[in-house]
Amino acid sequence: MSAAISIRQLAVTFPGGFQKPAVTALHPLDLTVERGAIVGILGPNGSGKTTLLRVLAGLQRETTGLVRVLDLPADATLVRQRVAYQPEGPLPLAVLTGREFLQWYGCELRLADAVADQRAAELLARFQLANVAQRRVRTYSTGMQKRLALAAALLGEPEVLLLDEPTSGLDPLGSGMVIDVLRERAQRGTTIVMASHHLQEVEQICSTVLALHAGRCVARGTIDDLLGTGDRTLTVRGLPDSALNGVAEDLQRRGGELIDSGRVRQHLFAWFRRLGSGPNSGPQS
Amino acid sequence: MIRLPAATRVVFRAALSLSLPPVLLAAAIAFAFADPTTFGANAPATLAPWLHLPAFTAAAACGITALQCWPTFAQHRHGADWVLRLRSGPCYGCAHAAFGALLALAVWLLPIGLVAALLMPTPHAHHALTADSSPILDAGHPCVTFPADGSNYQELRLRPFAFLPASEPQPTSLEVLADNLPLSTQPLRITGTRELLPIHFALRTIHTLSVRRTTGNLPLFFAADGAVLIAAANSSRILNGIIAAYWHLLPLAVALALAMLCAPFAALPVNIMVFVTALLVQTLGNLSPAGEAFTLALRGHWLGCEPMLATALPTFFVGLVATLLAILVRRRLRR
């Protein structure tokens, strides 16, 4: 099976104007994304993440290079329907209710009304927006708009999902929900390319990472390739401190080096998730 | 059943709901100040601006809603990428959105036209006559002849330009013959320029109308509306009100076309300013028949036979050119 996304020597330069120099947003870049992969694009602001996504979405013309999405040019009409793009920022048509927004988007995707309605109902329920589906989008919080945006992006059952900061502005529960949905979609074969500043989330779900800086690729590979050191760690539970000291001495006798020693804490996210799950299940001191 | 495009439906509903408060307010103000009891010779000129107010407000509100609502109607709008990806049309749905605004205005204009019709007299067709030779009546040309279409008429309105003669001015007395028979037994005299001389007569068909100078020395010139025959048949007052109101669709269409042209280069506030300015200039400058329609209807003209389409052509042409340019510009800027 061919790659979902194939980029060869892609470069994007925004032309200058009066007292405005030309800006190279992306220097020549190669990238291949296999079907079903989840690729995270990392980088500081202005590094070219959004430009790369817009090129893949067919919204930005490449200055040089070749971009193929699902074996077709990125701006082909067929690709536009098989590839969903969730841009960053507020949603358009905020005068519509959440349900109407999804119905409108389904219409633009040329989905049959019945299909769009059914999928909209499922997605609103999945993203816990069913109870606010009749409210106008402009009354939604940032997090609700983000979830609705992802619901819209998923409405057409896309083969490739391009997401620009899908979890920014979401609380931990919301971003956990989004990550769960993205994992489900990836397991069903959807290729996902997401730009994010949330390194922890990228680490959680992305199989491959591309790091950009000033429009250049500075690192790429699997999470293990990039973060793994080859060392193994040992986590111990149930021993008193005195016994642990004995273990440490034994390790040193065997030629090992004790790098770190401390008490294991649960993650803040797990604590927050319990906090949000009900009044009687809050964190215990 | 015709299924409207999604953009049209979205903007139509938004325009209808968001324009409700301003339209109701404008209508309340207009009908509070438009006093039908002042209906008289000068009433049409004083009443017409009040009838324009709700129609203009509705047009402005519907247009601004379309501009605000549809993200590709201005540069750098949030959420525009959602639309840009899926819309393959030349204007990224702007034309559909504009159509939605026009439909919403059409809905508003119906009640406005119906209420306005209550203030209007029963309309009659006004046929402006054109002289078959020189339209000047003076010592050298003592008679001007106007061919008519042989319909039934009940009134003639003469309103010629009068010029100063070389000698002491004397009012010009006229004799009017319809098919060689006198139209009136009353003395007919023109004492000044553009003086309105209405001649009522019993219902009759007229094929030829002749105006003869009997005494006096004021040279008279019959311009386009210098001699007007008024048909006897009553036309629909309600339909007249609706036609007068519906002419307000044209300025909105033209203003939206200009906004569509500016959309790739202008931010939303700038484009709203362009739109409102275009609407105001057309309305205040009488550049479209919308400005004249209510006045004519209040004067009892049956708009169905007025040559308003011809006067609308330049405005219509401007809108068409703006639309074509918008399409060409968008094509060039695509991606």
Side-chain angles (χ1 to χ4, degrees), chain A:
Chain A
M1 192 186 291
S2 59
I5 295 170
S6 171
I7 294 175
R8 297 283 170 268
Q9 291 296 299
L10 165 70
V12 175
T13 301
F14 295 114
F18 178 67
Q19 293 189 336
K20 192 174 95 175
V23 176
T24 301
L26 278 177
H27 292 276
L29 172 75
D30 290 330
L31 177 70
T32 303
V33 180
E34 298 302 328
R35 290 181 192 244
I38 306 183
V39 178
I41 304 173
L42 300 176
N45 292 333
S47 58
K49 301 187 297 294
T50 299
T51 303
L52 177 57
L53 287 178
R54 282 175 53 85
V55 170
L56 293 175
L59 289 166
Q60 174 67 50
R61 191 186 293 277
E62 58 277 11
T63 310
T64 60
L66 183 70
V67 180
R68 306 280 289 180
V69 180
L70 299 172
D71 281 336
L72 291 165
D75 61 342
T77 307
L78 193 61
V79 169
R80 288 174 182 228
Q81 287 170 354
R82 290 164 65 192
V83 176
Y85 173 49
Q86 181 207 326
E88 204 192 357
L91 289 170
L93 304 176
V95 291
L96 299 179
T97 66
R99 190 180 301 280
E100 286 170 346
F101 180 80
L102 292 182
Q103 286 168 342
W104 163 75
Y105 197 69
C107 243
E108 296 289 359
L109 286 171
R110 292 176 171 72
L111 296 178
D113 283 353
V115 174
D117 287 349
Q118 188 199 339
R119 286 187 194 168
E122 288 169 6
L123 287 164
L124 287 168
R126 182 71 182 85
F127 285 101
Q128 296 182 2
L129 292 168
N131 56 338
V132 291
Q134 300 303 334
R135 267 173 50 187
R136 288 186 192 274
V137 174
R138 64 182 173 199
T139 66
Y140 281 19
S141 66
T142 310
M144 288 155 80
Q145 288 207 24
K146 275 279 174 193
R147 282 183 275 152
L148 184 65
L150 187 57
L154 294 172
L155 194 69
E157 303 277 357
E159 293 169 51
V160 177
L161 202 48
L162 307 170
L163 308 172
D164 198 352
E165 305 285 354
T167 55
S168 72
L170 288 175
D171 62 28
L173 294 180
S175 67
M177 181 194 300
V178 167
I179 286 169
D180 289 346
V181 170
L182 295 182
R183 275 208 187 104
E184 285 168 21
R185 294 286 165 163
Q187 280 168 5
R188 285 155 58 177
T190 305
T191 308
I192 299 170
V193 180
M194 56 182 275
S196 180
H197 289 296
H198 294 202
L199 305 183
Q200 194 185 359
E201 285 156 11
V202 171
E203 191 180 333
Q204 276 178 24
I205 62 165
C206 291
S207 52
T208 310
V209 166
L210 175 75
L212 296 175
H213 183 79
R216 293 178 198 279
C217 174
V218 289
R220 74 169 74 196
T222 63
I223 296 283
D224 286 343
D225 288 345
L226 293 173
L227 305 181
T229 61
D231 295 339
R232 295 176 66 193
T233 59
L234 197 63
T235 306
V236 178
R237 176 187 285 169
L239 286 180
D241 286 356
S242 58
L244 277 174
N245 290 338
V247 170
E249 287 165 8
D250 193 35
L251 284 171
Q252 282 169 345
R253 270 202 304 278
R254 289 169 183 270
E257 183 190 1
L258 185 65
I259 294 171
D260 188 24
S261 167
R263 293 190 182 280
V264 174
R265 284 194 313 187
Q266 62 173 328
H267 287 291
L268 195 59
F269 176 70
W271 176 84
F272 192 88
R273 177 174 273 188
R274 287 219 311 277
L275 187 70
S277 61
N280 298 323
S281 55
Q284 304 297 312
S285 57

Side-chain angles (χ1 to χ4, degrees), chain B residues 173-262:
Chain B
S173 296
L174 301 173
E175 182 188 28
V176 180
L177 304 174
D179 299 327
N180 295 321
L181 294 172
L183 205 56
S184 171
T185 53
Q186 302 293 318
L188 306 171
R189 286 203 324 165
I190 298 286
T191 56
T193 189
R194 299 295 279 166
E195 181 185 344
L196 181 64
L197 187 64
I199 306 162
H200 296 271
F201 49 87
L203 179 71
R204 61 181 298 176
T205 58
I206 297 177
H207 294 89
T208 311
L209 194 81
S210 304
V211 179
R212 282 187 189 155
R213 194 170 82 145
T214 51
T215 59
N217 61 357
L218 289 181
L220 303 179
F221 170 68
F222 292 90
D225 61 345
V228 177
L229 274 173
I230 297 171
N234 290 344
S235 299
S236 167
R237 197 167 60 147
I238 288 175
L239 200 55
N240 214 30
I242 290 172
I243 292 172
Y246 271 51
W247 271 113
H248 286 82
L249 289 170
L250 184 63
L252 177 63
V254 173
L256 283 173
L258 289 169
M260 206 155 67
L261 177 60
C262 296

Side-chain angles (χ1 to χ4, degrees), chain A residues 54 57-62 75 80 83-85 87 90-93 95 100 104-105 107-109 113 149 152, chain B residues 3 6-7 9-11 13-14 17-18 69-71 78-88 92 334-335:
Chain A
R54 282 175 53 85
L59 289 166
Q60 174 67 50
R61 191 186 293 277
E62 58 277 11
D75 61 342
R80 288 174 182 228
V83 176
Y85 173 49
L91 289 170
L93 304 176
V95 291
E100 286 170 346
W104 163 75
Y105 197 69
C107 243
E108 296 289 359
L109 286 171
D113 283 353
Chain B
R3 187 173 163 81
R9 279 181 280 147
V10 166
V11 172
R13 280 190 302 183
S17 61
L18 295 178
C69 193
W70 196 250
H78 281 304
D81 279 352
W82 287 93
V83 175
L84 292 172
R85 278 204 77 231
L86 295 173
R87 283 270 160 184
S88 53
Y92 299 105
R334 203 169 179 84
R335 284 181 76 214

